[in-house]
Amino acid sequence: MLIQESFKDVPTKADGEGTMRIFIFHPTIAGYPQAKFPGVVLFSEIYQVTGPVSRFARQIAGQGYIVAAPSSYHEFTGPEPLAYDVPGTDAGNEWKITKKVSAYDEDAQLAVTALLGLKTCNGRVGATGMCLGGHLAYRCALDHRVSAAVCYFATDIHSHSLGQGKQDDSLQRAGDVKGELVMIFGKSDNHVPPEGRDLIRKTLHDKGVLFSWYEVFGAQHAFIRDELSKGRYDPAITKVCFEMLLEVFERRLKVDLGEPSGEKLVVEDVC
């Protein structure tokens, strides 16, 4: 599919009155101007909507999804991406823990609302993101309008250290997730150590969340970033993980499943 790119500026209030830019990547099918597509909120890493994030958005949009990528640091700077250098990294890490968690949540709610407000959206929304954005995609799934979220190497969930005061409630609220999660980590990701991954997985299991879990042997943090990844980019594993994203989004966002029956799955103990 071809893609049309635009942006929408929306007012924000959670941390003082301001404006957030949402970048829109919209699929088009020639001759079908009334076509409807599912929506996906794409949250970026600490550098805002960079080249790699935009390319990821286009990949998703090209499969038939309207992608909305918010500029997460609108309280502190413009919508332009931060550079993948020391000053950009320092600014991104500082703002990550300066911004209020309530402001992150407002951003997510506004992005979901923006998608649902499009006449070309079919009314179903998912979320995805990497690093900081993986955590934000997880929190976006706390919104019951979100049917599925794919979280790439989500940081700070295990340490509840997102936002001002570094005391987020993401793990505590795991039971509020009513959609389906896909959690993806590299086994060599030192941003989320093994004990942190174990804590997240156990909490999701104990809370009865519908989730899939994938830890990739040999993969490090930021393994899907195809630019300035410090030698960590792995295109083969990135392809596999993208297929996982498409599978859950196809099933949850494109197929009309109807209301769940509540029937418990009975697994037979047979070979």
Side-chain angles (χ1 to χ4, degrees):
M1 296 183 192
L2 298 181
I3 303 165
Q4 293 179 342
E5 298 184 26
S6 61
F7 64 83
K8 179 181 179 66
D9 291 330
V10 298
T12 59
K13 297 180 180 179
D15 195 10
E17 293 189 1
T19 301
M20 174 177 68
R21 177 158 296 181
I22 304 175
F23 294 93
I24 306 292
F25 302 80
H26 198 300
T28 63
I29 302 175
Y32 293 89
Q34 305 304 318
K36 293 183 181 295
F37 306 94
V40 172
V41 184
L42 169 56
F43 296 95
S44 69
E45 52 193 350
I46 62 169
Y47 303 96
Q48 298 212 104
V49 183
T50 60
V53 174
S54 295
R55 288 191 286 276
F56 188 42
R58 295 183 191 109
Q59 284 184 300
I60 298 171
Q63 300 297 321
Y65 300 89
I66 308 168
V67 179
S71 299
S72 293
Y73 290 149
H74 53 88
E75 292 91 350
F76 313 108
T77 188
E80 300 78 17
L82 302 179
Y84 289 122
D85 58 15
V86 172
T89 301
D90 289 346
N93 280 324
E94 178 184 351
W95 294 336
K96 181 179 72 168
I97 58 173
T98 303
K99 180 164 176 158
K100 295 178 180 178
V101 172
S102 61
Y104 283 121
D105 290 345
E106 181 189 54
D107 292 351
Q109 291 158 11
L110 289 171
V112 172
T113 298
L115 284 168
L116 292 174
L118 296 173
K119 65 179 182 179
T120 50
C121 181
N122 71 357
R124 291 189 286 275
V125 175
T128 190
M130 65 289 293
C131 190
L132 163 66
H135 192 155
L136 298 181
Y138 170 95
R139 287 196 68 89
C140 191
L142 299 174
D143 186 329
H144 292 181
R145 297 176 296 173
V146 175
S147 299
V150 180
C151 308
Y152 289 83
F153 36 86
T155 55
D156 303 305
I157 294 178
H158 69 287
S159 56
H160 56 81
S161 54
L162 177 68
Q164 190 179 89
K166 301 175 71 173
Q167 288 291 330
D168 70 74
D169 59 354
S170 297
L171 267 188
Q172 291 174 267
R173 295 185 60 194
D176 292 341
V177 176
K178 302 307 179 188
E180 183 175 343
L181 295 180
V182 178
M183 306 296 292
I184 300 172
F185 293 96
K187 287 187 72 69
S188 299
D189 185 344
N190 55 10
H191 288 66
V192 188
E195 58 272 20
R197 299 195 295 270
D198 290 345
L199 175 62
I200 298 169
R201 185 183 182 281
K202 184 178 187 305
T203 302
L204 295 177
H205 180 78
D206 291 347
K207 295 285 187 178
V209 179
L210 303 177
F211 74 99
S212 298
W213 188 273
Y214 187 38
E215 291 188 53
V216 190
F217 171 73
Q220 301 179 53
H221 192 70
F223 67 83
I224 69 170
R225 193 171 81 210
D226 64 359
E227 180 182 324
L228 296 172
S229 66
K230 301 182 177 72
R232 296 172 294 183
Y233 174 52
D234 189 324
I237 295 301
T238 296
K239 177 177 180 293
V240 171
C241 293
F242 190 65
E243 292 297 330
M244 297 171 70
L245 176 147
L246 294 181
E247 188 281 327
V248 69
F249 283 173
E250 177 82 23
R251 181 164 43 80
R252 285 281 178 167
L253 306 182
K254 284 189 175 179
V255 177
D256 189 351
L257 297 175
E259 292 299 316
S261 65
E263 178 183 0
K264 296 295 184 181
L265 175 65
V266 178
V267 180
E268 294 185 33
D269 187 17
V270 295
C271 294

